[in-house]
Amino acid sequence: MSALHIFILTALLVAEISCRGFQVKNQAKQLFLSRRVVTDSGEFDGGVLVDEDGIISGIYTRDTLKGLKFDGETVQVIDGGDWALMAGVVDSHVHVNEPGRTSWEGYVTATRAAAAGGITTLVDMPLNSFPPTTTLENFKIKAAIAREEVYIDVAFWGGMIPGNEVELQNMIEAGVIGFKGYLIDSGITEFPNVEKDELDNIFSILNGSDVTMAFHTELPISAGNDTECENCEVADPNLYSTYLASHPPEMELNAASLLASYIPKYDVHVHVVHVSAAGVIPILEAAREERIKAGSRRWRGGVTAETCHHYLTFSSEQIPPGHTEFKCSPPIRDITNKLQLWEYIKERRIDLIASDHSPSVATMKGPNFMTAWGGIASVQFGLSLFWTEAKARGLSLSTVSHYLSAGPAHLCGLQNRKGTIKPGLDADLVFFDPEASFVVTPDIIFYKNKLSPYMYRVLTGKVMKTYVRGQLVYTDGAVYEKPQGQLLINDKVLFNSSNP
């Protein structure tokens, strides 16, 4: 029996032991093999070598593997065969809601679900936790809870609200990757929206910094934050069309135009979250082009946008009366809009895809679209959701990796650590079977509230194993019992400590 076969048998034995809940730090180098190693630029038959610290140390084609020598070192070989080996997903838009609203979601359930979905890093939004991440002290409270509960790596957005400008620099030093703000009522009392006359001040404070300003990009259609559609008192609130009429595309287009007017005046990355209306993209492209002409060397000119799985999967015509699990803000729009978003995906005119996982308890839904909570839970299924639609359109796994891993990593400033298979980066890896299929059912869901518009939907592509820094955290339907994740923060500032 060859040494390679012995290594493979050893790897399988270790995996069996670990499946029972026992997990240790990497004790040896690891060699991950696959006939489909996927990067954001292509695929090849080969392997990825990982050192004892969980860092990628080499990438090899099958031919160059033959000459690889280890000089007596122990190497654990993990052969995925025909399964694709991909960089772990980076989900830059997740509402975990802990502390304060843990009945909606918490770090244990959210990160276990993420691991099952091939996500190796998620970025927690500053709301809907209570308190929200709008001050350094609030950030400390959140991080102190999360540090013992995360099964994958977690980074954090800070929040931009009226009056917290003095907190922004402190939160930057503590490690937030950027700040999220609303241009319309957030629906959360303790997270008020930023008014137009406050934008200049916030842009000035963050001007020249390396963090991102992310915006929920809708403006009210009437005075105040009243988004009720005209004559809604006689419309049926259980019909999706009633809610859709209350959030017309102009709300997004007007907000995007407002942000675009600030982009030439300031040197800071501006990001639009969850684009629903396809018309937002050309507005941002024009602003980006001007930025680049002016000499900006930021990634994508410091002007970016994301869309979400629900906008790429559903159209408004499909949503039945009373099924408020489909409600989100901005809303899912018509089939023509959806197809235009896919054209932008094919042309790489959108920068990344995120889940916008925003769960709630069932009592906050109900049949009334005008009063139900607006949020879709999906963090566990993003990789399969995107592949289901992308494969049907002839797109490649490299495209998937570009949008779900490399793009979000760049947005969050983690491109030198996460988001692609490259020497020197964390060995955050996923074995993914692109030919398998499965049905979304309540019994396979790891997140807390098992409400989903994807329930009983058949998805293509299945996550088989998930590794964070070379450590197996999910396999064969099971997440490891012990949290293996780290918080991507400045631990010294938050906890006066150098230890994660």
Side-chain angles (χ1 to χ4, degrees):
M1 182 179 290
S2 71
L4 180 60
H5 285 107
I6 292 173
F7 288 143
I8 293 173
L9 289 173
T10 302
L12 293 173
L13 177 60
V14 170
E16 285 299 315
I17 293 172
S18 298
C19 282
R20 302 184 188 112
F22 175 75
Q23 176 71 356
V24 296
K25 294 290 185 181
N26 299 343
Q27 298 296 315
K29 290 182 178 180
Q30 298 165 294
L31 180 61
F32 292 82
L33 301 176
S34 170
R35 294 186 182 91
R36 298 184 69 178
V37 179
V38 179
T39 70
D40 61 335
S41 59
E43 299 181 21
F44 60 92
D45 179 0
V48 177
L49 186 63
V50 177
D51 69 18
E52 296 89 343
D53 295 319
I55 304 298
I56 297 172
S57 59
I59 301 172
Y60 304 89
T61 64
R62 191 70 63 165
D63 286 339
T64 57
L65 277 170
K66 296 175 182 178
L68 200 58
K69 298 183 185 299
F70 296 105
D71 298 324
E73 293 179 281
T74 300
V75 178
Q76 179 189 0
V77 176
I78 305 164
D79 194 341
D82 291 329
W83 294 343
L85 180 62
M86 307 174 67
V89 173
V90 179
D91 192 339
S92 58
H93 194 147
V94 179
H95 295 268
V96 175
N97 305 327
E98 187 174 6
R101 292 186 173 93
T102 51
S103 62
W104 300 14
E105 192 67 278
Y107 287 105
V108 170
T109 48
T111 59
R112 283 169 62 86
I119 297 170
T120 51
T121 302
L122 69 77
V123 190
D124 182 25
M125 280 290 169
L127 72 167
N128 305 304
S129 60
F130 184 83
T133 318
T134 51
T135 69
L136 180 61
E137 189 57 36
N138 290 356
F139 189 13
K140 288 180 180 179
I141 292 170
K142 178 176 279 195
I145 293 169
R147 69 194 311 205
E148 303 297 331
E149 296 185 345
V150 295
Y151 286 75
I152 62 168
D153 288 356
V154 174
F156 297 88
W157 290 96
M160 294 182 286
I161 62 172
N164 82 325
E165 297 88 349
V166 296
E167 294 282 351
L168 302 184
Q169 185 58 44
N170 291 334
M171 285 192 282
I172 291 173
E173 293 173 3
V176 298
I177 60 98
F179 296 95
K180 161 81 172 291
Y182 280 71
L183 298 176
I184 195 171
D185 184 7
S186 72
I188 299 293
T189 303
E190 62 274 11
F191 203 96
N193 60 282
V194 176
E195 299 291 349
K196 294 179 185 178
D197 59 7
E198 297 167 319
L199 284 172
D200 262 316
N201 186 36
I202 297 173
F203 268 93
S204 297
I205 290 170
L206 296 176
N207 191 38
S209 69
D210 291 329
V211 299
T212 297
M213 297 176 70
F215 290 92
H216 179 120
T217 308
E218 289 183 286
L219 282 175
I221 56 176
S222 60
N225 282 344
D226 180 8
T227 59
E228 296 281 328
C229 60
E230 292 184 9
N231 300 318
C232 268
E233 65 273 12
V234 298
D236 185 348
N238 288 8
L239 295 179
Y240 184 73
S241 57
T242 302
Y243 172 63
L244 183 60
S246 73
H247 283 257
E250 289 75 21
M251 292 176 65
E252 291 186 73
L253 304 184
N254 292 344
S257 296
L258 175 65
L259 291 178
S261 71
Y262 285 88
I263 287 170
K265 300 190 291 183
Y266 297 99
D267 177 26
V268 63
H269 189 139
V270 176
H271 179 70
V272 173
V273 299
H274 50 46
V275 170
S276 169
V280 167
I281 300 304
I283 294 171
L284 298 179
E285 286 180 322
R288 177 189 301 132
E289 185 177 352
E290 290 302 312
R291 263 271 187 90
I292 293 172
K293 284 181 179 178
S296 175
R297 302 184 66 179
R298 292 180 180 271
W299 176 66
R300 302 287 284 168
V303 183
T304 55
E306 71 190 44
T307 192
C308 302
H309 303 296
H310 36 278
Y311 303 129
L312 298 171
T313 302
F314 301 116
S315 58
S316 59
E317 296 89 343
Q318 298 174 291
I319 300 176
H323 281 259
T324 58
E325 66 269 23
F326 288 87
K327 181 182 178 181
C328 56
S329 181
I332 296 165
R333 303 194 186 277
D334 63 25
I335 184 65
T336 301
N337 184 82
K338 170 187 165 181
L339 294 176
Q340 185 61 64
L341 289 174
W342 272 107
E343 285 303 308
Y344 290 152
I345 293 289
K346 292 176 183 178
E347 297 164 358
R348 298 208 171 184
R349 294 170 65 183
I350 294 173
D351 303 288
L352 58 115
I353 314 295
S355 70
D356 189 13
H357 177 72
S358 185
S360 69
V361 294
T363 54
M364 296 185 67
K365 286 294 187 177
N368 187 324
F369 277 102
M370 300 307 293
T371 59
W373 175 256
I376 289 177
S378 66
V379 70
Q380 185 173 334
F381 302 112
L383 180 52
S384 297
L385 285 168
F386 190 53
W387 177 237
T388 298
E389 298 294 327
K391 182 183 180 184
R393 290 167 171 79
L395 300 180
S396 67
L397 285 174
S398 291
T399 299
V400 174
S401 191
H402 171 82
Y403 280 109
L404 300 192
S405 301
H410 272 280
L411 174 73
C412 302
L414 297 173
Q415 69 274 11
N416 294 323
R417 184 172 177 182
K418 309 282 186 182
T420 192
I421 295 177
K422 179 181 177 182
L425 273 61
D426 290 349
D428 295 348
L429 302 170
V430 175
F431 277 121
F432 182 69
D433 185 347
E435 305 305 323
S437 63
F438 68 98
V439 179
V440 178
T441 55
D443 60 293
I444 69 170
I445 294 175
F446 284 93
Y447 53 80
K448 186 166 288 186
N449 289 283
K450 304 181 192 312
L451 305 172
S452 174
Y454 304 105
M455 199 68 75
Y456 304 112
R457 194 176 185 90
V458 178
L459 301 183
T460 301
K462 187 175 182 181
V463 174
M464 308 306 293
K465 297 178 183 291
T466 305
Y467 298 81
V468 176
R469 294 180 307 281
Q471 298 181 70
L472 188 60
V473 296
Y474 170 83
T475 183
D476 194 26
V479 180
Y480 284 109
E481 295 174 9
K482 181 181 177 182
Q484 302 287 344
Q486 295 179 358
L487 303 186
L488 307 181
I489 59 175
N490 187 333
D491 206 69
K492 186 175 181 181
V493 171
L494 281 175
F495 302 117
N496 295 316
S497 168
S498 58
N499 298 318

